[in-house]
Amino acid sequence: MKISIIVGTRPEIIKMSPIIRECKMLNLNYFILHTGQHYSFNMDRIFFNELELPKPKYNLDVGSGSHAEQTSNILIGVEKILLKENPDIVLVEGDTNTVLAGALAATKLHIKIGHVEAGLRSYDRNMPEEINRILTDHCSDYLFAPTEKSKNNLIREDIPAEKIIVTGNTIVDAVFQNLQLADKKVDILGELGVKKLEYFLVTTHRQENVDDRIRFNGILTGLKNINSEYNIPVIYPIHPRSLKKMQEFNLNANGIKIIEPLDFLRFLQLEKNAKLVLTDSGGVQEETCILDTPCITLRDTTERPETLDVGSNILAGASPKNIVDCVSLMCNTKKVWDNPFGNGKTGETIIKILQEVIS
Ligand code: UD1
Ligand code: UDP
């Protein structure tokens, strides 16, 4: 069995890392194809170095661009590599343009596709990620759904049940594999001069938030208000898209501590020890749930409803008042719930399944 593992962005590198480690440990025939959708050192290479992942065999260096430019460049590049390598299966993870283009290139070449983190739905087609999820799921052969809920989303779209396997989410593996390592290797609280439970952590980068001046300004105002009310630091490791938009819209971030995007170990440590986390990230909603840190999602919908069900997360949208109200609510919530995303062996499970079904 020859496996092609496609990655392109920060969350894909992190969430594929348990699968890559498993392939490496079992000495399987695999290669990593990086599309280069993310390319800045702290959005890309830092994770390969820190997680000790093998260097990608190919990097398409597609970089940034409009959706059509980026998706089509990935499609053309991936097709060439797949024709040359002829793998038995292509693995993609999540919902980015890299995932959609990788899956499209493979299906047209009649190469089997495994979609890791299949079946997530926000039911909001204004999000580019929602379109990517739906199309990728519908051309995949093995749909690795993290939960029963995500499996049921697929069944409702008439995807045959025999293609769907509930495996948990590889993010649990990544958190378990790296949390203790983080405590041994880094001290981000010391570096930033903050104390456990005495700061808020923020990430926001989604197109529907930061490319919209009113929504982005609403979020920043909400953050400034919680800084004044609680008088503790609000730390925001800023995604390059958001920094660019903040400058373009001339928005001010007084009262918010803006820092560079962090490596995974430092970020995990900050998440684990925060009073609470405010985010529009998908992965961060899951990680906070796994780490028993309350989360406020700066969106109107989520494709991670399991986090709402267990009570680790609440939707606040982008209005300053809602953000402040949700912070007050979540500060008084219980901080323990069951993690719905699996036992931390998802990478191993997925590889085991592939070994059984692909000769
Ligand atoms: C992409 C995904 C999003 C995911 C996010 C993870 C799509 C449609 N979106 O969004 O689902 O949550 O990755 O972080 O695939 N930039 C840099 N350096 C980089 C990468 C990006 O400076 O390494 C800047 C560029 O100005 C670029 C902008 O960020 O134009 C947006 O990058 P892009 O890859 O288009 O989308 P993301 O916002 O990163
Ligand atoms: N992350 C990180 N450093 C940061 C911010 C996030 O390592 O400064 C990690 C985080 O732990 C999670 C992943 O990046 O595993 C989430 O990526 P992102 O929010 O960019 O994408 P999304 O999950 O929304 O697709």
Side-chain angles (χ1 to χ4, degrees):
M1 169 173 68
K2 185 175 187 178
I3 309 173
S4 169
I5 298 178
I6 300 186
V7 296
T9 67
R10 168 169 75 185
E12 293 160 70
I13 302 166
I14 293 170
K15 286 178 167 176
M16 275 297 195
S17 67
I19 292 182
I20 296 170
R21 282 188 179 161
E22 193 64 18
C23 289
K24 203 168 139 187
M25 199 185 77
L26 297 174
N27 208 13
L28 300 183
N29 184 8
Y30 77 101
F31 66 94
I32 301 172
L33 196 179
H34 194 324
T35 64
Q37 177 172 345
H38 282 181
Y39 46 86
S40 300
F41 178 80
N42 57 12
M43 296 298 289
D44 170 24
R45 194 121 62 80
I46 199 167
F47 301 105
F48 279 89
N49 294 349
E50 188 172 59
L51 301 173
E52 296 179 11
L53 302 175
K55 207 169 163 284
K57 183 165 180 187
Y58 301 96
N59 193 323
L60 303 176
D61 285 324
V62 297
S64 308
S66 70
H67 282 280
E69 280 165 348
Q70 194 174 56
T71 310
S72 53
N73 285 337
I74 298 171
L75 197 50
I76 294 166
V78 170
E79 184 184 60
K80 285 192 183 126
I81 307 293
L82 295 183
L83 280 169
K84 183 172 161 211
E85 291 278 353
N86 194 25
D88 298 293
I89 181 144
V90 162
L91 291 181
V92 289
E93 194 288 330
D95 53 19
T96 65
N97 288 344
T98 288
V99 173
L100 173 62
L104 269 183
T107 194
K108 294 286 182 81
L109 295 173
H110 309 296
I111 297 171
K112 298 255 184 268
I113 302 162
H115 186 199
V116 180
E117 202 178 73
L120 275 62
R121 294 290 181 272
S122 66
Y123 297 101
D124 174 2
R125 289 203 182 196
N126 288 319
M127 297 171 71
E129 293 83 6
E130 184 74 353
I131 308 293
N132 293 343
R133 290 179 197 121
I134 295 170
L135 297 177
T136 303
D137 282 336
H138 282 262
C139 62
S140 291
D141 300 277
Y142 303 101
L143 292 102
F144 300 113
T147 66
E148 287 295 331
K149 249 194 164 116
S150 38
K151 175 178 175 177
N152 290 335
N153 291 338
L154 297 168
I155 301 278
R156 275 198 296 277
E157 291 175 16
D158 293 330
I159 292 183
E162 57 272 20
K163 288 187 175 183
I164 311 166
I165 311 121
V166 176
T167 55
N169 194 311
T170 55
I171 194 63
V172 184
D173 314 22
V175 169
F176 289 177
Q177 287 168 10
N178 292 291
L179 193 59
Q180 282 175 347
L181 208 58
D183 285 336
K184 274 192 212 134
K185 284 192 160 177
V186 298
D187 173 23
I188 184 68
L189 275 68
E191 286 171 37
L192 294 174
V194 293
K195 294 205 185 90
K196 187 177 164 69
L197 299 175
E198 291 184 17
Y199 62 90
F200 296 106
L201 174 65
V202 180
T203 79
T204 176
H205 69 279
R206 289 302 181 99
Q207 179 182 303
E208 63 275 18
N209 278 337
V210 303
D211 286 20
D212 178 330
R213 191 181 194 284
I214 296 175
R215 283 186 74 91
F216 199 7
N217 192 38
I219 290 172
L220 294 174
T221 307
L223 297 176
K224 284 175 221 167
N225 293 349
I226 62 168
N227 171 251
S228 328
E229 194 169 323
Y230 292 84
N231 203 21
I232 57 174
V234 175
I235 301 166
Y236 181 6
I238 196 164
H239 188 289
R241 173 194 280 272
S242 316
L243 182 61
K244 200 170 86 179
K245 287 292 169 186
M246 192 184 275
Q247 289 162 347
E248 189 183 312
F249 294 146
N250 204 13
L251 299 175
N252 96 49
N254 296 340
I256 304 167
K257 189 173 171 57
I258 306 261
I259 59 172
E260 289 280 313
L262 292 168
D263 59 280
F264 189 50
L265 295 187
R266 283 183 173 77
F267 189 77
L268 266 185
Q269 201 169 52
L270 266 191
E271 268 183 298
K272 170 80 192 145
N273 293 298
K275 184 173 177 69
L276 59 81
V277 176
L278 299 101
T279 192
D280 61 10
S281 158
V284 174
Q285 291 175 63
E286 294 158 350
E287 286 166 355
T288 46
C289 185
I290 298 161
L291 294 167
D292 288 332
T293 303
C295 178
I296 289 171
T297 292
L298 304 165
R299 296 211 225 139
D300 303 318
T301 58
T302 180
E303 60 293 324
R304 272 89 176 172
E306 297 85 353
T307 59
L308 304 180
D309 295 344
V310 300
S312 68
N313 187 18
I314 186 171
L315 295 177
S319 97
K321 181 173 180 322
N322 278 353
I323 294 171
V324 173
D325 289 350
C326 286
V327 168
S328 154
L329 200 72
M330 288 307 268
C331 280
N332 296 315
T333 189
K334 72 176 174 80
K335 311 236 172 355
V336 180
W337 39 73
D338 289 331
N339 150 36
F341 296 114
N343 60 5
K345 295 194 180 301
T346 299
E348 194 183 316
T349 306
I350 289 173
I351 291 299
K352 220 178 253 165
I353 292 165
L354 292 180
Q355 284 179 311
E356 280 164 21
V357 294
I358 298 173
S359 51

